[in-house]
Amino acid sequence: MKVLVIEDDRSTADYVTSGLKEEGHDPDHATSGPMGLELACTRDYDAMVIDRMLPGIDGLSIVRALRSSGRDTPVIFLTSVSGLDDRVEGLEAGADDYLVKPFAFSELMARLNALARRSPLRKEETILKVGNLEMNLIARTVRRESREIDLQPREFRLLEYLMRNRGRVLTRTMLLERVWDFHFDPKTNVVETHVSRLRGKVDRPFATEMIKTIRGSGYVLNVPS
């Protein structure tokens, strides 16, 4: 499952996201209400785990905004707000379940699995398109302007991550974690080297560049104007 975790407490967020990864799921983490709402409205998730007390926008407001916009992604409130009236308020706002802290990860996982059985999972993408760049995830092919581009496996994975996050600045740390599965800095220029090679294949043979360097921040894949 692709799961969005909106939680401002770092230790709780690390506990949940690490557990989800160990179970084979793919979590995204937002540390504030506005960040969480933006992710929830712009990406597809199979489930969301949301704290009620968040900076910027509280969890109740996030769920109400999602439901009013027609999004029916299953939501579990994970919160220390434990009164009966609070639980009722959370469910009436549109949440599907309510789990009070402290909690056991096994119970959270069981509740997520129950929600997944009740709701069809989002349809898995097989073709990614950004402008005139197209990636076939089944055939493992890449084309731009109908010209096939030969990529090595790591280059393919790097481009896939850039395409899935088009328009979003991806830091070096994010790339190391998602493309190389490194959760430490290897103190090498592996990211820079692979981005340069990818540019040589995806950008340089064509009239417009898609992969941009944002100085001091990271890299972004943009749709050519």
Side-chain angles (χ1 to χ4, degrees), residues 95 136 209 218:
N136 187 312
E209 292 187 352

Side-chain angles (χ1 to χ4, degrees), residues 6-13 16 49-54 77-82 98-104:
I6 310 177
E7 170 63 70
D8 62 322
D9 180 72
R10 174 57 64 178
S11 61
T12 301
V16 172
V49 178
I50 303 177
D51 188 12
R52 279 193 57 166
M53 308 300 290
L54 293 165
F77 271 127
L78 183 61
T79 177
S80 57
V81 181
S82 58
Y98 201 103
L99 184 59
V100 175
K101 301 174 183 177
F103 65 99

Side-chain angles (χ1 to χ4, degrees), residues 140-144 146-150:
R140 309 298 287 180
T141 58
V142 175
R143 293 180 177 275
R144 185 173 179 188
S146 300
R147 292 168 55 182
E148 188 162 347
I149 300 171
D150 183 33

Side-chain angles (χ1 to χ4, degrees), residues 143-159:
R143 293 180 177 275
R144 185 173 179 188
E145 296 179 1
S146 300
R147 292 168 55 182
E148 188 162 347
I149 300 171
D150 183 33
L151 297 180
Q152 296 298 313
R154 191 70 67 179
E155 295 167 346
F156 188 96
R157 191 171 176 183
L158 174 59
L159 182 60

Side-chain angles (χ1 to χ4, degrees), residues 9-116:
D9 180 72
R10 174 57 64 178
S11 61
T12 301
D14 288 346
Y15 177 56
V16 172
T17 56
S18 295
L20 287 169
K21 289 176 182 178
E22 288 176 7
E23 293 289 330
H25 303 294
D26 184 15
D28 280 345
H29 174 220
T31 57
S32 69
M35 179 183 179
L37 182 58
E38 180 181 0
L39 289 175
C41 290
T42 57
R43 301 188 189 181
D44 292 326
Y45 293 98
D46 298 314
M48 300 181 193
V49 178
I50 303 177
D51 188 12
R52 279 193 57 166
M53 308 300 290
L54 293 165
I57 304 174
D58 66 89
L60 282 175
S61 298
I62 291 174
V63 174
R64 287 175 179 140
L66 292 174
R67 298 304 186 234
S68 65
S69 67
R71 290 183 175 269
D72 58 359
T73 307
V75 170
I76 296 179
F77 271 127
L78 183 61
T79 177
S80 57
V81 181
S82 58
L84 175 59
D85 290 343
D86 298 312
R87 295 198 296 273
V88 170
E89 185 179 28
L91 295 171
E92 289 186 342
D96 300 271
D97 204 347
Y98 201 103
L99 184 59
V100 175
K101 301 174 183 177
F103 65 99
F105 179 77
S106 57
E107 182 179 2
L108 173 61
M109 196 66 251
R111 291 175 183 242
L112 282 171
N113 287 333
L115 289 180

